[in-house]
Amino acid sequence: MIQEGKESQTPLLGTHYKVQDTLFFGPQFELGDGLSFNAHFYYKNDTVKSLYKTPPVNFNISNEISIKEAFPRSNKIPKNILTFYIEFSDPMMEDESAFRYVNLYDENKQMIPHVWLNKGRWINDKILMLMIHPGRVKSGISYYDNLGDVFYVGKKYYLEVTDKVKTLYINSKVKPFTKEFEIIEPTASCPEILRDSINPPKKNTREKLKIVFDKPMDLYSILGGISINIYKTDIIVEGKLLPGSEDTEWYFVPDKPWTENKYSLIFNKYVSDACGNGLIKSFETTKIKKSYTKDIVKKINFRTD
C-alpha cells in the first residue's frame, strides 16, 4: 500500500494463483476505496513495478442501509449467549465504538446497562460483532457484581440497532432494527458435528458441501475456524462459508470445481457454538488439557462422488 507517497514496508496478505500465462493475486481482505498500491514482480535481477488504484470513495452516495441478518437468528436464545452479530446490507464505517449504538432492553422495555465488551469488532465492513462482557455471563469474573445477570430464563428481550451506527458514506443512514427473542436454559455441552449429514459433492462441479451441527453455532468461529484441504496435503481449497436456513447448518462453496478424489474437512480450536462452547472444550472449563492447545481439533475426510 502507498500512504502519503510512501510504500508500506509490510506487503498485503493474500494468495497467488496462475491461470494459463497470467499470475493473479487475491488479497485476504477487501482493499477498500480510494487506495493506491504498487505490485512488484521479481525475476532474477529485474523488478517490474505497476501502480494500481481502487475506485475513489463516493461521498455523495445516499442510501438507506438495512439490517440483513442478526445472529443468532433464532428467537429462542440460551441464557449464556456470548456474542451477537449484525449484518448490514451495505458497507459501513468500521467504527470500534459502534457498540454504543446498539441497545439491549428487557421485557418492560427498560435498557440493560453495561452489557457489551467495550469494543465493537468488525468481521468485515458489513458484519459487526458484539460480545457480551464475559464477566456478566461467565462465573469467577468480577465485573459490576451489583448489576446481576443480563438474562433470565423465560423472559423476553429486545436487541435494538439504532440509526446512530456510522455509515461509510455521509449521506447514508441506517434503518433502525429490533430483534425480539426469548431466553431459554443455558448450554454448557460441546457441539457435535453430524457426520452423516455431510453430503459429498460431485467431482468437477462447484456443488456446495453441507456441514451440520447438533446446535446453533457462532458465526465468526465458523467463518474463521473451518477449512478444506486436498487430502494429505497443505493445499487449501479456496471458497466461502455461508449460513444455511438455521445456525446449525452451514455450506462451503468452492471458488473452483472439486477436481480431486479426496479432501479433508478441518475444524480448528476456535469453532464454537453461540455460547462459546468449543468442539472439545466447554466455555466454563477450568481444567486445562493438553488437547486444548492443539490448533486442529477435528478432521473429517470425504470423497467426491
Side-chain angles (χ1 to χ4, degrees):
M1 180 185 289
I2 300 172
Q3 294 176 301
E4 297 181 355
K6 296 181 179 180
E7 282 190 3
S8 168
Q9 296 301 306
T10 304
L12 294 178
L13 292 174
T15 56
H16 297 85
Y17 59 96
K18 185 173 175 287
V19 178
Q20 296 179 350
D21 61 350
T22 303
L23 182 67
F24 291 88
F25 172 76
Q28 184 170 339
F29 304 102
E30 291 185 15
L31 298 180
D33 296 330
L35 301 176
S36 298
F37 303 87
N38 271 335
H40 296 249
F41 180 76
Y42 303 100
Y43 179 72
K44 296 183 178 179
N45 295 323
D46 293 331
T47 301
V48 178
K49 183 163 68 173
S50 295
L51 176 66
Y52 293 88
K53 293 184 177 182
T54 58
V57 178
N58 184 356
F59 290 104
N60 295 319
I61 291 178
S62 179
N63 191 25
E64 182 180 69
I65 297 175
S66 60
I67 306 303
K68 186 177 178 181
E69 291 281 10
F71 296 85
R73 290 175 291 176
S74 173
N75 60 0
K76 292 187 181 297
I77 295 177
K79 180 183 177 184
N80 56 340
I81 178 70
L82 189 63
T83 311
F84 289 89
Y85 299 89
I86 309 299
E87 183 178 3
F88 296 88
S89 61
D90 294 82
M92 301 289 292
M93 182 180 293
E94 297 180 40
D95 175 24
E96 289 188 353
S97 65
F99 70 93
R100 300 180 186 276
Y101 313 119
V102 181
N103 302 315
L104 190 64
Y105 295 90
D106 63 19
E107 62 183 1
N108 298 315
K109 302 295 180 70
Q110 296 296 309
M111 186 184 295
I112 303 173
H114 305 296
V115 173
W116 310 118
L117 191 66
N118 293 342
K119 186 177 182 182
R121 293 170 169 82
W122 292 82
I123 296 179
N124 54 43
D125 60 5
K126 289 185 180 180
I127 301 180
L128 170 64
M129 179 170 70
L130 295 159
M131 179 178 285
I132 294 177
H133 196 291
R136 299 205 68 182
V137 291
K138 185 176 174 66
S139 60
I141 300 176
S142 177
Y143 177 79
Y144 290 108
D145 292 333
N146 60 317
L147 293 177
D149 292 344
V150 175
F151 299 119
Y152 293 90
V153 174
K155 300 292 185 181
K156 286 187 178 180
Y157 294 86
Y158 303 89
L159 180 72
E160 178 195 50
V161 182
T162 72
D163 61 4
K164 301 290 192 260
V165 182
K166 296 178 182 178
T167 60
L168 183 61
Y169 307 113
I170 58 176
N171 293 330
S172 295
K173 195 79 170 176
V174 172
K175 182 181 179 180
F177 168 87
T178 300
K179 175 184 173 67
E180 178 183 332
F181 59 93
E182 180 184 340
I183 291 297
I184 60 176
E185 292 290 340
T187 176
S189 62
C190 294
E192 294 185 9
I193 306 157
L194 303 183
R195 292 174 180 249
D196 293 342
S197 297
I198 295 175
N199 61 320
K202 289 185 173 60
K203 190 175 180 181
N204 297 321
T205 72
R206 292 183 62 243
E207 281 188 350
K208 297 183 291 186
L209 177 71
K210 185 178 180 181
I211 308 165
V212 182
F213 299 85
D214 67 340
K215 58 198 304 193
M217 301 297 287
D218 176 81
L219 173 67
Y220 185 55
S221 78
I222 292 292
L223 298 183
I226 296 178
S227 59
I228 295 177
N229 283 13
I230 295 174
Y231 182 62
K232 287 190 175 179
T233 74
D234 293 327
I235 301 173
I236 297 174
V237 178
E238 300 294 336
K240 294 180 176 63
L241 280 152
L242 302 173
S245 58
E246 299 179 2
D247 294 344
T248 56
E249 185 178 284
W250 303 83
Y251 291 91
F252 178 84
V253 184
D255 291 343
K256 299 178 181 178
W258 305 96
T259 56
E260 304 297 321
N261 293 320
K262 198 171 182 181
Y263 294 87
S264 295
L265 177 58
I266 298 169
F267 302 82
N268 72 22
K269 63 182 178 182
Y270 299 109
V271 175
S272 63
D273 67 15
C275 301
N277 301 304
L279 294 175
I280 62 171
K281 174 181 175 293
S282 66
F283 185 62
E284 288 281 354
T285 297
T286 55
K287 294 181 180 179
I288 303 299
K289 296 181 180 179
K290 189 175 182 180
S291 59
Y292 296 165
T293 62
K294 294 181 179 178
D295 287 331
I296 296 174
V297 296
K298 298 279 184 181
K299 184 182 289 187
I300 299 174
N301 299 322
F302 65 92
R303 292 182 178 275
T304 53
D305 286 343

